[in-house]
Amino acid sequence: MTSNLLQDLIAEILIRLPVKSVVRFLCVSKEWYSLITSSYFIKMHLKFSIETNRDRTLILNEEDFAPASHYISAVQFSSKYNRFGKTVEIYQPLLNWVVSDYCDGLVCLHNGHEKQDVAVWNPLVRKYRRFPFEPIEEPSGFSDVRFSHLAFGHDPRNDDYKVLRVIEFYMEDMIGMEFEVKVCSMRSPSWKKIDERWPNMVICCWKSVALNGDVYWLVADRVGQHRKSLLAFDLATEKFRLYGTPVPLENYLSTFLDVLGGLLCCIVHDYMYCDVYLMKKYGVEGSWTQIFKIEKNVLCRNFEYFRTLMFSTNGKKVLLEEHPECGRTNLIWYDIEKNRCYRVKNRSFPYVFKVATCIGSLLLLDGDNVIDPPQKKNKRKRKR
């Protein structure tokens, strides 16, 4: 009885610690190792991380003219003080692989624009798992014109993390088209073709999002591509569903999807404004609610688009990832009540990057180790 109480007390203490601290305790004893690596403890630790917004790390994936490197930048965020630390370079498992998506502290990586090589990586515990190579099977009669898309999310019904790959095939006239949809999971690491047929619509936004067991894309009618809808894929049932968006039926505006505060987020870029909507009731398209509208002159004058990353601790500010038409990427705190922006000043940030938001997670503790090369352990000087 006393032993069980002590074990429960140890678990309650460890659940409240950040990932790096918990990992250090794996070597204390066999009992502690068994506790920390148990699925129950990993789930409870993740749940506590999400609820408290603690142990949050931003992975900054450098882009464009950045030289090929095994290293990637990471910066810790203090939810207590709403501050960022200094960026550090962490060693990613596979050279020249690109961050595609992220979920529950796991980062999905891919190699090459056709996304035939895929891996999942936990940067905080320094573990990864590579999925089997999956070649693309081109349908008969189609040209070499094709586009590949990846999505990554959690299937809560089966407690599994899954990668979805969608390939768009086009005929030479660019009118005839076909889709190939395959899924691979961490529990069953083999690719499977989805029987459900993709709707007769095209993907019109490069970024998918995952929420509550569904993966979402912004899609449009093939003719004109202006009437936009939300296409959801249920990772458990492997079925598609279509939802309406807060965007007018016929428009020429840039629209993006994100997840903000645990809710589906739709960002609409007008010529002078940016409207941000949240789906307040999950799966109810009538619950889209505008939470703020930003005048473009409040942000930088010539920006291409921005993403919503997270709320501040008090919920009064939103962290935005701003991409100018040319120049460096900025992180900006937008004050919803005051309609003001505050640029995050951090000289250690890369010049051009995209952000993957990682919560503290012990998932993938049984994965392959990421080992730094001996010659790379010394601190490198970065060119700015």
Side-chain angles (χ1 to χ4, degrees):
M1 182 71 173
T2 305
S3 176
N4 290 337
L5 286 174
L6 180 60
Q7 193 80 351
D8 291 342
L9 180 60
I10 292 172
E12 284 297 317
I13 294 172
L14 292 179
I15 281 171
R16 286 161 170 76
L17 296 179
V19 167
K20 288 185 178 179
S21 299
V22 177
V23 170
R24 291 192 187 102
F25 292 128
L26 283 168
C27 58
V28 169
S29 67
K30 291 182 179 179
E31 289 77 14
W32 281 43
Y33 181 89
S34 177
L35 169 67
I36 293 170
T37 56
S38 67
S39 59
Y40 174 78
F41 180 86
I42 291 173
K43 288 179 189 176
M44 294 305 296
H45 185 274
L46 176 62
K47 183 173 181 288
F48 188 83
S49 293
I50 294 172
E51 290 175 350
T52 58
N53 198 30
R54 61 96 191 261
D55 207 12
R56 190 174 285 269
T57 301
L58 302 186
I59 304 298
L60 310 181
N61 191 34
E62 297 185 52
E63 290 197 318
D64 298 335
F65 45 81
S69 173
H70 261 308
Y71 285 87
I72 199 165
S73 300
V75 58
Q76 278 205 309
F77 172 72
S78 170
S79 57
K80 183 178 181 180
Y81 301 105
N82 278 335
R83 291 179 182 174
F84 295 92
K86 186 177 180 180
T87 59
V88 295
E89 290 179 323
I90 54 177
Y91 188 73
Q92 62 171 322
L94 301 158
L95 180 62
N96 294 334
W97 286 47
V98 180
V99 173
S100 173
D101 215 336
Y102 51 93
C103 177
D104 292 347
L106 298 177
V107 177
C108 182
L109 305 169
H110 70 83
N111 181 23
H113 69 280
E114 292 194 332
K115 303 173 177 64
Q116 299 178 83
D117 255 337
V118 181
V120 176
W121 170 44
N122 185 331
L124 297 188
V125 302
R126 296 170 55 79
K127 301 275 190 174
Y128 77 102
R129 182 171 298 159
R130 190 168 178 172
F131 288 1
F133 179 85
E134 183 65 13
I136 295 175
E137 301 172 9
E138 188 173 288
S140 176
F142 283 78
S143 69
D144 293 333
V145 179
R146 57 197 185 202
F147 301 98
S148 303
H149 309 271
L150 280 185
F152 176 62
H154 180 233
D155 171 6
R157 185 180 301 182
N158 299 297
D159 191 22
D160 199 0
Y161 289 86
K162 298 180 177 181
V163 176
L164 200 69
R165 190 183 74 179
V166 180
I167 310 292
E168 297 177 80
F169 297 101
Y170 286 88
M171 290 185 173
E172 291 184 1
D173 56 10
M174 295 300 289
I175 297 176
M177 63 181 300
E178 187 64 59
F179 283 87
E180 177 196 79
V181 184
K182 290 186 176 182
V183 65
C184 189
S185 77
M186 288 175 60
R187 287 185 181 271
S188 302
S190 59
W191 290 93
K192 181 184 73 170
K193 192 170 183 178
I194 300 300
D195 294 329
E196 179 87 353
R197 187 171 178 81
W198 183 275
N200 191 29
M201 309 187 87
V202 295
I203 297 174
C204 58
C205 178
W206 57 268
K207 187 179 186 303
S208 63
V209 297
L211 184 66
N212 295 340
D214 291 327
V215 172
Y216 293 90
W217 290 271
L218 201 62
V219 296
D221 294 342
R222 290 184 58 189
V223 179
Q225 299 187 21
H226 302 310
R227 182 171 298 177
K228 296 174 182 175
S229 303
L230 201 60
L231 179 63
F233 178 80
D234 190 312
L235 291 170
T237 65
E238 299 181 350
K239 301 294 183 183
F240 291 105
R241 300 189 309 279
L242 280 170
Y243 294 100
T245 71
V247 185
L249 289 181
E250 300 291 341
N251 73 83
Y252 298 85
L253 308 178
S254 298
T255 310
F256 299 91
L257 291 179
D258 246 313
V259 173
L260 180 63
L263 298 173
L264 201 58
C265 178
C266 186
I267 307 165
V268 184
H269 292 267
D270 199 341
Y271 301 105
M272 298 181 64
Y273 299 94
C274 296
D275 298 308
V276 179
Y277 300 84
L278 291 181
M279 183 183 275
K280 290 297 185 74
K281 293 183 180 180
Y282 187 72
V284 180
E285 61 184 59
S287 67
W288 285 110
T289 305
Q290 185 186 78
I291 58 169
F292 59 86
K293 176 193 285 281
I294 305 179
E295 296 181 31
K296 286 203 171 182
N297 59 12
V298 173
L299 298 171
C300 110
R301 292 182 180 178
N302 298 310
F303 74 94
E304 186 177 359
Y305 69 93
F306 71 79
R307 291 182 51 222
T308 55
L309 297 177
M310 60 184 178
F311 282 112
S312 61
T313 306
N314 60 14
K316 295 181 179 180
K317 297 177 183 177
V318 179
L319 184 66
L320 306 178
E321 174 192 327
E322 178 198 61
H323 290 265
E325 291 180 358
C326 60
R328 72 181 307 138
T329 305
N330 297 304
L331 295 185
I332 293 175
W333 282 112
Y334 173 69
D335 191 311
I336 300 173
E337 294 179 353
K338 297 179 181 178
N339 189 31
R340 293 184 62 183
C341 288
Y342 307 89
R343 187 163 297 171
V344 176
K345 296 180 180 179
N346 193 319
R347 292 183 179 180
S348 65
F349 285 173
Y351 192 76
V352 178
F353 60 89
K354 287 184 179 178
V355 176
T357 307
C358 287
I359 199 75
S361 167
L362 294 166
L363 292 165
L364 212 60
L365 273 176
D366 59 344
D368 297 324
N369 290 315
V370 178
I371 302 173
D372 290 350
Q375 67 271 22
K376 295 286 187 178
K377 286 187 176 179
N378 295 328
K379 187 176 180 180
R380 300 188 306 146
K381 292 183 179 179
R382 295 176 56 107
K383 293 182 180 180
R384 295 291 173 194

